[in-house]
mmCIF file of all heavy atoms in Angstrom:
data_model
loop_
_atom_site.group_PDB
_atom_site.id
_atom_site.type_symbol
_atom_site.label_atom_id
_atom_site.label_comp_id
_atom_site.label_asym_id
_atom_site.label_seq_id
_atom_site.Cartn_x
_atom_site.Cartn_y
_atom_site.Cartn_z
ATOM 1 N N ALA M 154 67.748 5.220 -96.030
ATOM 2 C CA ALA M 154 68.746 6.037 -96.784
ATOM 3 C C ALA M 154 68.534 5.577 -98.297
ATOM 4 O O ALA M 154 68.424 4.542 -98.678
ATOM 5 C CB ALA M 154 70.256 5.515 -96.349
ATOM 6 N N ILE M 186 100.030 8.094 -94.344
ATOM 7 C CA ILE M 186 100.639 7.751 -95.669
ATOM 8 C C ILE M 186 101.822 8.618 -95.945
ATOM 9 O O ILE M 186 101.588 9.828 -96.188
ATOM 10 C CB ILE M 186 99.649 7.783 -96.706
ATOM 11 C CG1 ILE M 186 98.363 6.903 -96.501
ATOM 12 C CG2 ILE M 186 100.273 7.374 -98.171
ATOM 13 C CD1 ILE M 186 97.386 6.733 -97.532
ATOM 14 N N HIS M 272 81.462 18.121 -94.977
ATOM 15 C CA HIS M 272 80.757 19.389 -95.451
ATOM 16 C C HIS M 272 80.717 19.430 -97.053
ATOM 17 O O HIS M 272 80.038 20.159 -97.741
ATOM 18 C CB HIS M 272 81.381 20.603 -94.922
ATOM 19 C CG HIS M 272 81.174 20.816 -93.451
ATOM 20 N ND1 HIS M 272 79.868 20.885 -92.853
ATOM 21 C CD2 HIS M 272 82.089 20.636 -92.299
ATOM 22 C CE1 HIS M 272 79.974 20.912 -91.586
ATOM 23 N NE2 HIS M 272 81.210 20.805 -91.223
ATOM 24 N N ALA M 284 72.389 15.759 -109.145
ATOM 25 C CA ALA M 284 71.119 16.408 -109.167
ATOM 26 C C ALA M 284 70.094 15.772 -110.081
ATOM 27 O O ALA M 284 68.917 15.650 -109.626
ATOM 28 C CB ALA M 284 71.243 17.884 -109.410
ATOM 29 N N GLN M 286 69.784 12.576 -110.789
ATOM 30 C CA GLN M 286 69.256 11.403 -110.371
ATOM 31 C C GLN M 286 68.461 11.467 -109.034
ATOM 32 O O GLN M 286 67.731 10.639 -108.565
ATOM 33 C CB GLN M 286 70.441 10.405 -110.048
ATOM 34 C CG GLN M 286 71.185 10.017 -111.481
ATOM 35 C CD GLN M 286 72.148 8.794 -111.200
ATOM 36 O OE1 GLN M 286 71.658 7.893 -110.533
ATOM 37 N NE2 GLN M 286 73.167 8.861 -111.799
ATOM 38 N N MET M 297 68.088 22.624 -103.557
ATOM 39 C CA MET M 297 67.847 23.385 -104.736
ATOM 40 C C MET M 297 67.010 24.707 -104.452
ATOM 41 O O MET M 297 67.372 25.710 -104.929
ATOM 42 C CB MET M 297 67.016 22.542 -105.718
ATOM 43 C CG MET M 297 66.785 23.272 -107.106
ATOM 44 S SD MET M 297 65.870 22.129 -108.279
ATOM 45 C CE MET M 297 64.247 22.144 -107.347
ATOM 46 N N ILE M 394 59.759 45.608 -98.273
ATOM 47 C CA ILE M 394 59.493 45.440 -96.725
ATOM 48 C C ILE M 394 59.293 46.825 -96.084
ATOM 49 O O ILE M 394 58.442 46.944 -95.029
ATOM 50 C CB ILE M 394 60.740 44.647 -96.062
ATOM 51 C CG1 ILE M 394 60.360 44.548 -94.561
ATOM 52 C CG2 ILE M 394 62.022 45.389 -96.225
ATOM 53 C CD1 ILE M 394 59.090 43.725 -94.242
ATOM 54 N N VAL M 397 55.831 48.009 -96.780
ATOM 55 C CA VAL M 397 54.817 47.254 -95.978
ATOM 56 C C VAL M 397 54.873 47.730 -94.449
ATOM 57 O O VAL M 397 53.825 48.001 -93.951
ATOM 58 C CB VAL M 397 55.264 45.722 -95.955
ATOM 59 C CG1 VAL M 397 54.493 44.922 -94.914
ATOM 60 C CG2 VAL M 397 54.975 45.205 -97.345
ATOM 61 N N ASP M 403 50.981 53.366 -90.658
ATOM 62 C CA ASP M 403 49.819 54.275 -91.074
ATOM 63 C C ASP M 403 48.414 53.657 -90.575
ATOM 64 O O ASP M 403 47.579 54.385 -90.028
ATOM 65 C CB ASP M 403 49.765 54.404 -92.593
ATOM 66 C CG ASP M 403 50.827 55.368 -93.047
ATOM 67 O OD1 ASP M 403 51.582 56.001 -92.205
ATOM 68 O OD2 ASP M 403 51.173 55.284 -94.366
#
Side-chain angles (χ1 to χ4, degrees):
I186 299 180
H272 294 295
Q286 296 198 40
M297 182 179 70
I394 184 61
V397 169
D403 291 343

